[in-house]
Each structure stands twice: as structure tokens, then as C-alpha cells.
Amino acid sequence: MFASALAKNVLSMSTKLLCTRSISLQGGPLCAVYPAEFCEPSRHPGSYWTGMTGHLASKEFKAASNSHTYSNFYDYQVIKFEQMLLKKGKAYMAQRIMQRVLENIKLAQVEAYHKAETEEEKQQIQLDPIKVFNCAIDNIKPQIGVQGYRLAAMSYQVPHPLSPRKQVFMTHKWILDSLRLRSQKVPFVDRLTKEIMAAYVGQGSAMKKKQALHKLAEANRAYAHYRWENIKSKPKLRGRRAAKAKTSKFGR
């Protein structure tokens, strides 16, 4: 009796360990599979032992990804922009560029703060460079875009709402494209600082691209009903793929 109970406990524990995390060879850690009772990891270390309710005190948590950190200087938008800056695997250079840009923003805001004459003007100046950067990114984010749709011999630009991920991608791309098209005599850090400070007040070349896209979507709003049409047609199979897709009337 004792041996059978012990075997059952060992079997249940081994099954639980195998189901805790199964990683595919191609997907990596992002394809980890956890049981439904596991909770998401928290970015705040104090939340694990303070303020927990009864049902969370006995729960198990998923393993945090390598991008999680408890640093006070961590910001998702800054890290995402660093990845867009990254070229040829030079992560340190991209990180150093962002650090220098944030330093320049901080110095510019502190200088404006000391030049302000009244207390009301000083209170309106944001001294945190990360908040200035996030505000500039939010100002450039487009809310609506256009997608090409061909009907017979006519081609239409159909407006459609953009997903948050697409908004961030287009914002970062516009900023970097506007910087790389300018004169290379000015250092890249100074160009990026100037573009972010301009976007913070609603100006700059990236802001102009956003306004042009919104104007294009407004001009083509009469074709918005095509958004519910089957814009992406099913590709026609050819060769071996078409032969594999063919089945007989008996389903073989």
C-alpha cells in the first residue's frame, strides 16, 4: 500500500515537472508551455511577498524572461528603440547612443527650467528624459493607416485602424528614416536628440509623415467599406504543392 502511494506521488511529481516547461527546438523560450495554474511573473520584486492575497500565496509563477529587470531606469519603449537602432549586432553602441540622447534631453530640459521666469513655467517643464521620450513617441504614433486594394482594373487605398505594435514600428521607422536622410556632418546623437525634442512639441519630419498619412486616410474614407472585403486573396498553388493539395472524392 505504501509502495503504491509512493509510486503515485513520484509519477505525479514527474508529470508536473515535465509539464512545467516544454521548449521546442525551433521556438526557444518564447514557446514555453506552463500549466494553467501558473501565474505571470511580476516586474516589481516586492509584490511576491507583500500585498499578496490568499490564492496567490500558494501559487507558482512562470520563469521571467531575460529581458525582465528590476532597475528603476528600465523602460520598454527605450529598449524597443535600442533594438531598432541596433546594426550588425553592436548592442553596446545602440545602448550608448540612447544614453547620450537621454543625457542631452536632460540637459536641455534643465537649461529651460533655469531660464523660466515664473514658477508656473517651471512646473510645466518635464525634467525626466524618459517621460519626454515616451511623450514624443506617443505624439508621432499614427492611429490609422491605408492598405492597397485592387478591384478589377482600379486600385484603392483603404483606410484601416493600426494595431499598437504596428503604430510603434512605424513611429520608430519614421524617426530613423528621417535621421539617415539628413546630412551626415552632424553627429547622429545630436540629430536624434533634435528629432525627439521636435516631436515632443509636435513638430519634426516624423510628425509630418504622420499628418500626411492621416490626410491620405481622410481623403480615401469613401473606400472604407472595402476593409470588410476579402483583400488578401488565397494564393494559387502550383507544382508539387498543388498536387499535394488535390484529393480524390474518397478523401485519399
Side-chain angles (χ1 to χ4, degrees):
M1 185 70 181
F2 177 75
S4 61
L6 181 62
K8 288 182 180 180
N9 292 336
V10 171
L11 181 60
S12 63
M13 288 296 297
S14 60
T15 305
K16 186 176 182 179
L17 290 175
L18 289 175
C19 296
T20 298
R21 192 176 188 186
S22 59
I23 303 176
S24 65
L25 296 178
Q26 297 180 353
L30 296 179
C31 296
V33 178
Y34 289 90
E37 61 269 12
F38 276 64
C39 299
E40 294 292 336
S42 176
R43 293 189 181 274
H44 306 284
S47 62
Y48 287 112
W49 58 80
T50 59
M52 274 194 178
T53 57
H55 71 283
L56 285 180
S58 59
K59 286 278 188 178
E60 296 188 63
F61 291 84
K62 299 178 183 178
S65 64
N66 56 359
S67 62
H68 283 211
T69 177
Y70 295 141
S71 173
N72 293 329
F73 301 98
Y74 174 83
D75 187 78
Y76 175 77
Q77 290 290 349
V78 175
I79 301 299
K80 189 68 175 177
F81 194 78
E82 284 181 7
Q83 296 174 354
M84 293 288 291
L85 282 174
L86 181 62
K87 273 192 171 184
K88 298 181 180 180
K90 299 179 181 180
Y92 175 76
M93 184 177 293
Q95 185 179 7
R96 183 56 185 160
I97 288 174
M98 281 304 304
Q99 289 176 356
R100 293 176 60 187
V101 168
L102 294 177
E103 289 175 3
N104 293 344
I105 295 174
K106 179 72 174 182
L107 293 175
Q109 294 297 94
V110 169
E111 183 180 358
Y113 179 85
H114 289 295
K115 288 184 178 180
E117 299 178 354
T118 62
E119 290 295 332
E120 295 181 356
E121 294 179 356
K122 290 183 178 181
Q123 292 178 359
Q124 294 177 356
I125 297 175
Q126 179 60 253
L127 298 179
D128 190 352
I130 295 180
K131 291 184 179 180
V132 173
F133 177 81
N134 289 334
C135 183
I137 294 296
D138 292 339
N139 291 341
I140 305 176
K141 279 183 183 179
Q143 302 299 324
I144 193 169
V146 293
Q147 183 178 2
Y149 175 60
R150 187 173 181 83
L151 182 63
M154 300 294 294
S155 181
Y156 303 99
Q157 296 292 330
V158 181
H160 66 96
L162 298 174
S163 63
R165 185 175 180 181
K166 185 69 173 179
Q167 293 175 10
V168 174
F169 171 76
M170 295 182 70
T171 302
H172 295 174
K173 186 175 183 299
W174 287 343
I175 294 175
L176 296 179
D177 289 347
S178 62
L179 296 178
R180 288 162 182 163
L181 291 176
R182 291 183 181 177
S183 175
Q184 302 296 329
K185 296 181 180 180
V186 182
F188 185 84
V189 174
D190 297 339
R191 283 179 282 161
L192 181 56
T193 304
K194 185 177 180 180
E195 184 66 29
I196 292 175
M197 293 300 295
Y200 179 65
V201 295
Q203 300 176 1
S205 57
M207 183 65 67
K208 292 180 181 178
K209 290 184 179 181
K210 170 194 173 181
Q211 295 172 355
L213 180 62
H214 282 187
K215 286 182 180 179
L216 180 62
E218 180 69 19
N220 293 275
R221 62 180 181 177
Y223 310 123
H225 61 280
Y226 286 127
R227 176 171 163 243
W228 288 272
E229 297 290 339
N230 188 16
I231 297 179
K232 294 183 179 179
S233 59
K234 188 176 180 180
K236 188 176 181 180
L237 299 178
R238 299 180 181 275
R240 294 182 179 179
R241 293 183 178 179
K244 290 182 179 180
K246 287 184 179 180
T247 56
S248 64
K249 61 181 179 179
F250 299 105
R252 297 179 181 176

